[in-house]
């Protein structure tokens, strides 16, 4: 069985992430979307909230599971017995950072963890969770960036109804 992990912050999930999830789920038999519990960041949504949002957003894709992890991705992948990490590439600006992480993971895992990059569909190439949050904080329209229920939750966090 071909399994993969799609790790990320997902604070919160956007249509760009969902595009990658749908496409990775077509390629792999089982895809685990896993939220990083990063103590160094102050997220808008807690890990539990992000997991719940992802579960709701992917509930119609049967071979997708949602989980969370702390620490190194290579340790988490080893524990799960998975050898492939998925990452989305939006634009050339993502490439250097992603290549560095992919190469480091390959080295640290002694070749056990490979990274498969999926190019984000063009319509989502400039979409990021950070810009979605910034737009929402000023009460801007984020309906083309995230599913409706996610938009409601983001606006709620910023005190907009
Ligand atoms: O959505 P993001 O914030 O771009 O995701 C980054 C992520 C979670 C893929 C990356 O930060 C990660 O894997 N962190 C776990 C810690 C780790 O394994 N670091 C070593 C790679 S340099």
């Amino acid at each position: 069985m071909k399994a993969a992990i799609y790790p990320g912050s997902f604070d919160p999930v956007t249509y760009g992430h969902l595009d990658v999830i749908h496409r990775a789920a077509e390629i792999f038999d089982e895809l685990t979307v896993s939220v990083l519990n990063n103590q160094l960041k102050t997220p808008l949504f807690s890990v539990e909230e992000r997991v719940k949002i992802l579960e709701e957003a992917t509930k119609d894709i049967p071979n997708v599971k949602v989980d969370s992890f702390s620490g190194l991705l290579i340790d988490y992948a080893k524990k799960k017995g998975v050898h492939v990490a998925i990452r989305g590439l939006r634009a050339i600006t993502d490439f250097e950072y992603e290549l560095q992480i992919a190469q480091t993971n390959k080295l640290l895992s002694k070749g056990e963890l490979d990274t498969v990059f999926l190019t984000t569909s063009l319509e989502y190439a400039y979409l990021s969770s950070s810009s979605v949050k910034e737009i929402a904080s000023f009460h801007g329209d984020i309906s083309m960036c995230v599913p409706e229920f996610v938009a409601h939750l983001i606006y709620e966090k910023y005190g907009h109804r």
Side-chain angles (χ1 to χ4, degrees):
M1 190 180 70
K2 282 184 294 171
I5 293 169
Y6 179 21
S9 301
F10 304 107
D11 184 39
V13 68
T14 66
Y15 279 138
H17 297 128
L18 288 170
D19 172 50
V20 170
I21 292 171
H22 275 103
R23 286 158 54 216
E26 291 276 320
I27 301 170
F28 291 88
D29 299 310
E30 190 177 288
L31 178 70
T32 304
V33 182
S34 203
V35 176
L36 173 67
N37 188 357
N38 188 348
Q39 308 288 355
L40 302 174
K41 282 193 186 173
T42 312
L44 184 63
F45 292 97
S46 69
V47 171
E48 294 73 26
E49 287 173 320
R50 281 178 272 161
V51 165
K52 270 181 88 175
I53 292 171
L54 274 163
E55 279 171 350
E56 176 63 26
T58 60
K59 67 179 183 205
D60 295 330
I61 322 172
N63 58 334
V64 169
K65 285 197 281 188
V66 183
D67 193 17
S68 62
F69 74 106
S70 308
L72 291 179
L73 177 63
I74 55 155
D75 293 334
Y76 172 69
K78 192 172 182 177
K79 211 169 69 196
K80 292 243 152 207
V82 174
H83 301 284
V84 177
I86 303 288
R87 292 289 287 168
L89 281 181
R90 289 166 299 186
I92 194 76
T93 42
D94 280 343
F95 185 74
E96 205 172 330
Y97 168 71
E98 292 295 341
L99 186 66
Q100 191 188 342
I101 295 184
Q103 297 289 26
T104 307
N105 283 335
K106 184 87 176 163
L107 189 73
L108 283 176
S109 68
K110 299 188 172 58
E112 288 280 298
L113 185 67
D114 256 312
T115 303
V116 169
F117 294 109
L118 289 179
T119 49
T120 304
S121 300
L122 272 183
E123 58 194 303
Y124 306 124
Y126 292 97
L127 188 54
S128 72
S129 297
S130 310
S131 53
V132 170
K133 286 181 279 190
E134 187 170 346
I135 297 165
S137 72
F138 294 111
H139 216 163
D141 182 10
I142 52 169
S143 60
M144 68 295 279
C145 307
V146 295
E148 200 180 333
F149 83 96
V150 182
H152 282 301
L153 293 169
I154 301 172
Y155 287 132
E156 238 172 58
K157 287 274 179 192
Y158 289 111
H160 308 313
R161 294 271 145 195

